[in-house]
Amino acid sequence: MTRQQQGTAAPPGTPASTPPAVPPQVPPPGPRNPDVPDPVPPRRTAWAEGVDRLRAAATTEPGRLRIIGAALAVLVVAFGAVTAWEMTERSTAADDVLHSSQPLSADAADIYRSLADANTAASSGFLAGGQETARSREGYEENISLAADKLVTAAANSRPGSTSAKTITELNKMLPEYKGLVERARANNRQGYPLGGAYLRYANSKMQVMLEDAERLYKVENERLRSDYDDATPYPWIAIGAGVVAIGALVWAQRRNYRRTNRVLNHGMAAATAATTVVLLWLVVGHTVARAGLNDSYDHGVRSLNTLNDARIASIKARANENLTLVSRGAETREVGTGADKRTVDAYDYDFQRQMKDLTVKLAAAEDLADDSAGVRPVEAATGNMEVWKERHREARDEDRLGNYQAALDKVIGTPDKEPTGECFESVDKNLALALTHERAEFRRAAGDGRSAMDGLVVGAALLGVLAAAGAVLGIGRRLSEYR
């Protein structure tokens, strides 16, 4: 055996060598089987293909111009659409202020006033007894009819299932009940039965519930009016922002065009910039004028109307309580104060004093809110009438405390030779009605001016937006034609 055949022995401690790795056996490719389809590569998404095309287009100037033109058109159209959308909302809210929520608020105030006035007329007629005048009776019937008519109008304009609708339903239910109690009181009073006074006090209690419901209706409609103002007056910041972005993009595109071609003006993009600027200026100026008019209608219209309505209601309540003081003859008392100051007072006279204080405050506020002499004069006259009323009421109360009931009654309802407190109340009410008429006209003028400032803005913004987009596309198209 040769040395090569024997090999060499491995040294002691050396690990045995590993056999060489055998490569995997790959079967030789055979012939293709026509019955087995080739594997299909995964389909690319439309988004990925679009991105690739956009990337490829961005590598050439024509492609970049097409992208810029599309972006400008989208920005300008979006600006016009957002402007139309925001101004439509504000125009609708301004329409509601002028033609819906404020008239409904006024109707709610008229419901309250007519109910309170009817209650006052009923107590005045009761005090006159069998000598109730036709004027007093007619006043009661007119106010009841007015309240019923206003309730029908309010029911037709209220939202079904709303709080206002439920309140109106309750008032419609209680009004006939109140009328029935008043008629019973009159029938017993004409026959000299003392039960008539009890019926009248019960009718007055029901009327107080009705007045609370009417006051709730008035507050709900005022909140709705305030909500409409809040929707109509905010600046359209989204549209303004979109306009600034669109103009900025158009200016950038024209500057880019100038730097690459040394041409100062591109007619299409210049027209697009001008149209977009017009819309933006129209939007800002128009809404600012509208906002000023609406705010003026609230500050010098709605606030004055609310204050005058509150003053008129306070005067009617005071008159009703003045009459009921004589009707009850001390039968209705109330404990007021606490501790050592606690005392028992005539409930109706106590309420009269509170309402006259409220009337004083409301008249002072109405005079401050009046912004012209035509609004100030009737409020000043009402204030003078109120001061005379207070003095005559003190005289009537002094007679009543001395036990001279007839003398007190004459000072309240009047005689041919005495001037009653009723004349003062009627003068206060008449002057407040004049002030309300003036302030309603002021409201309609200011709110109408604010609403008219938005006229045409919605349609104009949409049309100019389309024209601006067309100008931008044509301007870019003019540049693209140079590459053909």
Side-chain angles (χ1 to χ4, degrees):
M1 181 179 295
T2 64
R3 182 180 179 91
Q4 290 179 344
Q5 290 175 335
Q6 292 177 350
T8 56
T14 302
S17 61
T18 58
V22 178
Q25 298 295 321
V26 179
R32 178 179 175 274
N33 187 351
D35 296 331
V36 178
D38 292 336
V40 178
R43 183 181 179 84
R44 302 188 65 201
T45 64
W47 171 258
E49 292 177 357
V51 170
D52 286 345
R53 284 196 297 267
L54 189 63
R55 188 181 295 113
T59 60
T60 64
E61 182 61 13
R64 285 191 288 267
L65 287 173
R66 291 187 181 93
I67 294 171
I68 291 171
L72 291 176
V74 169
L75 285 174
V76 173
V77 170
F79 169 49
V82 170
T83 299
W85 164 58
E86 287 202 297
M87 294 314 299
T88 297
E89 288 190 339
R90 282 154 181 77
S91 296
T92 301
D95 275 334
D96 289 341
V97 166
L98 188 59
H99 300 120
S100 179
S101 52
Q102 198 285 323
L104 281 174
S105 176
D107 285 344
D110 287 341
I111 290 171
Y112 191 108
R113 183 199 59 77
S114 57
L115 289 174
D117 214 357
N119 197 43
T120 300
S123 60
S124 297
F126 184 89
L127 287 174
Q131 288 74 42
E132 181 181 5
T133 63
R135 180 182 176 186
S136 175
R137 180 72 182 185
E138 288 172 1
Y140 168 80
E141 295 294 345
E142 286 176 2
N143 281 290
I144 288 293
S145 297
L146 178 61
D149 291 342
K150 293 292 183 180
L151 284 171
V152 171
T153 302
N157 291 308
S158 62
R159 297 186 180 94
S162 64
T163 302
S164 295
K166 294 176 182 177
T167 301
I168 292 168
T169 300
E170 287 297 316
L171 287 171
N172 276 319
K173 178 182 177 182
M174 288 189 287
L175 187 59
E177 298 174 358
Y178 170 80
K179 289 178 63 179
L181 291 171
V182 170
E183 293 306 319
R184 290 191 184 95
R186 281 176 169 157
N188 281 276
N189 190 42
R190 283 194 295 268
Q191 298 178 50
Y193 296 153
L195 190 59
Y199 271 119
L200 189 64
R201 291 195 297 274
Y202 184 31
N204 179 70
S205 298
K206 184 170 286 293
M207 175 57 73
Q208 297 311 308
V209 176
M210 295 172 68
L211 290 176
E212 289 177 2
D213 288 344
E215 185 175 11
R216 189 181 307 113
L217 176 65
Y218 177 56
K219 289 180 178 179
V220 168
E221 293 304 327
N222 267 340
E223 289 174 0
R224 179 180 171 188
L225 175 60
R226 179 69 261 184
S227 176
D228 286 337
Y229 268 103
D230 291 340
D231 291 339
T233 54
Y235 273 107
W237 291 115
I238 298 176
I240 291 173
V244 171
V245 171
I247 291 175
L250 286 166
V251 170
W252 172 83
Q254 291 174 87
R255 184 172 180 272
R256 180 182 184 277
N257 182 61
Y258 170 73
R259 293 178 65 183
R260 290 177 179 269
T261 65
N262 206 28
R263 293 173 183 171
V264 176
L265 188 64
N266 179 295
H267 293 89
M269 285 193 286
T273 305
T276 306
T277 302
V278 168
V279 174
L280 183 60
L281 290 175
W282 190 1
L283 172 65
V284 174
V285 175
H287 189 270
T288 299
V289 173
R291 178 187 174 95
L294 290 170
N295 285 337
D296 183 60
S297 72
Y298 186 83
D299 293 335
H300 300 289
V302 173
R303 289 179 61 196
S304 293
L305 288 171
N306 289 344
T307 303
L308 289 168
N309 279 323
D310 291 343
R312 200 176 187 190
I313 290 167
S315 70
I316 294 171
K317 281 182 170 182
R319 178 60 178 173
N321 281 302
E322 184 179 47
N323 291 339
L324 289 168
T325 301
L326 295 176
V327 171
S328 67
R329 298 191 181 187
E332 295 288 337
T333 59
R334 183 184 306 163
E335 289 186 350
V336 297
T338 57
D341 295 331
K342 192 173 184 179
R343 65 190 189 282
T344 301
V345 298
D346 184 290
Y348 295 120
D349 188 59
Y350 180 79
D351 287 339
F352 170 85
Q353 299 297 340
R354 287 194 306 109
Q355 284 141 13
M356 291 301 281
K357 289 179 181 177
D358 188 35
L359 176 60
T360 303
V361 172
K362 296 299 183 184
L363 287 176
E367 188 173 347
D368 290 339
L369 288 170
D371 56 350
D372 56 15
S373 58
V376 171
R377 279 196 300 271
V379 178
E380 289 179 339
T383 302
N385 301 142
M386 178 192 64
E387 295 300 333
V388 178
W389 184 4
K390 288 179 180 178
E391 181 60 32
R392 292 183 183 178
H393 177 80
R394 280 193 292 268
E395 294 174 0
R397 292 300 297 148
D398 289 342
E399 294 289 352
D400 192 29
R401 291 189 187 95
L402 292 173
N404 300 327
Y405 178 77
Q406 188 60 47
L409 184 62
D410 292 343
K411 288 182 178 295
V412 171
I413 65 173
T415 61
D417 59 339
K418 292 183 181 179
E419 296 179 340
T421 59
E423 287 184 355
C424 300
F425 160 71
E426 290 175 359
S427 296
V428 169
D429 192 67
K430 179 181 177 181
N431 283 303
L432 288 176
L434 290 173
L436 280 165
T437 300
H438 172 75
E439 295 301 333
R440 284 193 186 105
E442 289 291 295
F443 162 80
R444 285 193 292 269
R445 178 193 58 77
D449 290 346
R451 172 62 187 86
S452 62
M454 301 183 192
D455 287 344
L457 184 52
V458 174
V459 176
L463 290 177
L464 287 174
V466 172
L467 291 176
V473 171
L474 289 174
I476 294 296
R478 181 69 179 272
R479 283 283 293 120
L480 283 171
S481 66
E482 299 172 0
Y483 288 89
R484 294 170 187 168

